[in-house]
Amino acid sequence: MDAPPASAKLRGMIGVGIIGSGGIALANHMPGFALCPDTKVVALCDSNPAVLEKASQSTGIKNVYSDYHELLKRDDVNAVLIATPNVFHAPITLAAIAAGKHVMCEKPIAMDFPEAMKMFRAAEAANVRHMTAFTYRFGPGMRYMNHLIHRGDIGRPYHFRAQRFQDWYDRNLGWRQVKKMAATGEIGDMLSHRIDYGHILIGPIRRLVADMRRFVDSRGGQPADVDDWVSIIAEFDSEAGERAPTGVLESTKLATGRGEGHRGLDLCEVNGSEGTIAYTTQKPLELLIGKKGDPKLHRIPVPPEFLVWPGSPRDPNEGDPLATFRYDQDFEFIDAIRHHRPCWSSLRDGARVQAVIDAALVSDQEKKWVDVPRVDE
Ligand SMILES: NC(=O)c1ccc[n+]([C@@H]2O[C@H](COP(=O)([O-])OP(=O)(O)OC[C@H]3O[C@@H](n4cnc5c(N)ncnc54)[C@H](O)[C@@H]3O)[C@@H](O)[C@H]2O)c1
């Protein structure tokens, strides 16, 4: 007999534990969970005492742990966010699932594809809700673009294009520049979100050829041993044979003059038989669109019904729209727990992206096209 759903006890308050209380946990997820009805972050964990102390002070949360196993013992923690460096995602996610907790894991979810599949399968077997924090798919413009493409507004998709260009020069990236902590550089850190865009807008990537380079070996005086530029040419799964939709994805930390973070270019474009749609995260509330015969692309606003995630109490007029859409992912996680339904961007989606990353690594090493393994339900 199936175990009772972990959500069976979740009629009242949902208690959240945060494991890894650094940058993204405080910037995106704390305000996100704060917006969720009947939800409370009840405990924090961080292996760095200074970070833990700072997080406790800024949030007022007094239940703090340096060891995540201790946090997982709490009965009032129903769900956890895992926001540590990548190397710890799998062991912590697996321990949380074994403790019966619902899990949201930051991207990239694992160090490699087999590890990602283990996480996805364990979550399914334990019947807990599971989510990958593919934050950028929650951008209002991205969701509207997804809607228009699936409605057929640009006809049959021909080309998918993603560009993530930032200027970090030789700034220190901390654990992100260390292979044994991060597994990969630009491809996992930045391109993972854009690979996910391709998957939601067009479908799974079936095969690819990739090139990855590192131009800067030392950042902030510390060695860097991961890629700082990556490019992928991809073919999406399709019955159209040689006319299957194509993808060209490029991401770099070395686009001098492009700026960092929000300021760096983050473009996604799809060209189809009837038109083109383009989206940049910098302008999350509009799209560029052109229909067959138009001399150029023109701007259209995202309609009100796409400004916030369905059901989210977030006021779209409050705060910086470049930041606030990110909170909707936490609402989605909590809402999926409440209603015992799959999360939009599951660990399966995280594993599908990991399959692409692993294939890109093989392609880069062996200088050839590589098939991407399918991730079935
Ligand atoms: N979805 C997004 O848009 C987005 C944006 C930024 C970062 N991220 C992802 O979030 C994760 C964290 O990134 P960040 O920028 O917050 O990094 P960070 O370095 O600011 O925070 C990570 C924290 O984890 C702590 N930690 C390390 N090992 C731990 C362990 N075993 N147990 C508990 N805590 C531990 C560190 O001390 C640190 O405070 C990464 O996987 C990153 O790729 C996602």
Side-chain angles (χ1 to χ4, degrees):
M1 201 178 87
D2 280 353
S7 63
K9 60 187 176 190
L10 294 182
R11 292 196 201 288
M13 185 67 74
I14 294 180
V16 178
I18 290 185
I19 303 176
S21 306
I24 209 61
L26 296 194
N28 281 9
H29 297 285
M30 279 302 300
F33 288 126
L35 279 176
C36 299
D38 298 322
T39 302
K40 193 171 176 195
V41 178
V42 292
L44 301 175
C45 167
D46 202 286
S47 55
N48 180 330
V51 172
L52 193 55
E53 171 63 20
K54 199 172 148 207
S56 173
Q57 276 185 8
S58 68
T59 60
I61 296 164
K62 300 281 177 245
N63 304 312
V64 293
Y65 301 88
S66 57
D67 179 346
Y68 65 85
H69 295 99
E70 295 303 314
L71 179 146
L72 293 176
K73 285 181 188 159
R74 292 183 68 100
D75 286 339
D76 60 352
V77 169
N78 309 111
V80 292
L81 164 73
I82 296 123
T84 61
N86 308 343
V87 66
F88 304 115
H89 288 178
I92 299 176
T93 300
L94 292 170
I97 292 168
K101 314 296 185 193
H102 305 286
V103 289
M104 170 153 56
C105 184
E106 270 297 350
K107 48 45 65 180
I109 61 168
M111 297 295 274
D112 57 32
F113 178 52
E115 203 176 65
M117 285 304 290
K118 207 169 155 188
M119 296 160 75
F120 163 54
R121 290 200 173 116
E124 285 281 292
N127 199 17
V128 296
R129 304 303 93 204
H130 52 87
M131 182 159 174
T132 301
F134 281 135
T135 313
Y136 293 93
R137 56 153 82 182
F138 286 86
M142 174 50 68
R143 289 203 296 112
Y144 188 45
M145 181 174 183
N146 191 27
H147 167 77
L148 295 180
I149 289 174
H150 286 281
R151 197 173 72 175
D153 279 31
I154 58 164
R156 186 161 72 85
Y158 291 147
H159 312 308
F160 168 82
R161 194 167 301 113
Q163 296 176 331
R164 182 69 174 117
F165 298 165
Q166 294 185 84
D167 177 4
W168 282 73
Y169 183 47
D170 64 352
R171 284 251 323 267
N172 194 302
L173 302 176
W175 60 266
R176 282 178 168 79
Q177 69 189 48
V178 181
K179 192 175 185 174
K180 66 176 195 296
M181 300 289 282
T184 61
E186 199 57 12
I187 190 169
D189 192 26
M190 288 293 137
L191 212 55
S192 53
H193 289 288
R194 285 85 208 171
I195 296 166
D196 180 60
Y197 289 171
H199 286 166
I200 61 171
L201 295 176
I202 311 289
I205 291 176
R206 174 165 66 191
R207 56 197 290 264
L208 58 78
V209 62
D211 196 357
M212 297 164 69
R213 308 275 170 106
R214 181 177 59 260
F215 289 83
V216 177
D217 290 332
S218 170
R219 292 183 162 277
Q222 300 296 315
D225 61 354
V226 294
D227 55 291
D228 49 28
W229 172 84
V230 53
S231 180
I232 296 176
I233 299 177
E235 180 183 292
F236 288 88
D237 209 4
S238 161
E239 283 167 9
E242 288 211 337
R243 305 243 168 102
T246 58
V248 177
L249 302 88
E250 184 185 11
S251 192
T252 178
K253 289 237 177 348
L254 300 171
T256 307
R258 285 281 190 182
E260 275 174 26
H262 296 355
R263 290 183 298 279
L265 179 72
D266 186 5
L267 173 78
C268 173
E269 178 168 314
V270 178
N271 312 119
S273 57
E274 307 300 321
T276 285
I277 304 182
Y279 166 70
T280 74
T281 306
Q282 286 88 353
K283 295 203 182 295
L285 307 185
E286 65 180 47
L287 294 177
L288 283 170
I289 191 158
K291 288 294 181 74
K292 217 172 182 172
D294 284 349
K296 59 178 188 168
L297 303 183
H298 59 274
R299 293 182 193 287
I300 55 165
V302 173
E305 63 270 30
F306 285 89
L307 293 181
V308 289
W309 183 247
S312 166
R314 182 171 67 79
D315 178 349
N317 300 310
E318 240 176 53
D320 177 358
L322 251 174
T324 50
F325 74 81
R326 296 153 206 262
Y327 310 158
D328 286 353
Q329 70 186 336
D330 302 293
F331 177 83
E332 163 59 8
F333 180 48
I334 297 298
D335 196 57
I337 293 170
R338 190 76 74 195
H339 296 103
H340 196 67
R341 60 164 178 81
C343 301
W344 193 61
S345 76
S346 62
L347 289 182
R348 175 174 181 258
D349 296 323
R352 286 207 305 183
V353 168
Q354 195 68 54
V356 172
I357 293 174
D358 280 23
L361 288 166
V362 173
S363 171
D364 174 57
Q365 276 158 18
E366 300 183 6
K367 307 291 173 216
K368 62 174 194 189
W369 280 83
V370 171
D371 290 339
V372 178
R374 287 192 70 93
V375 180
D376 294 322
E377 301 288 341

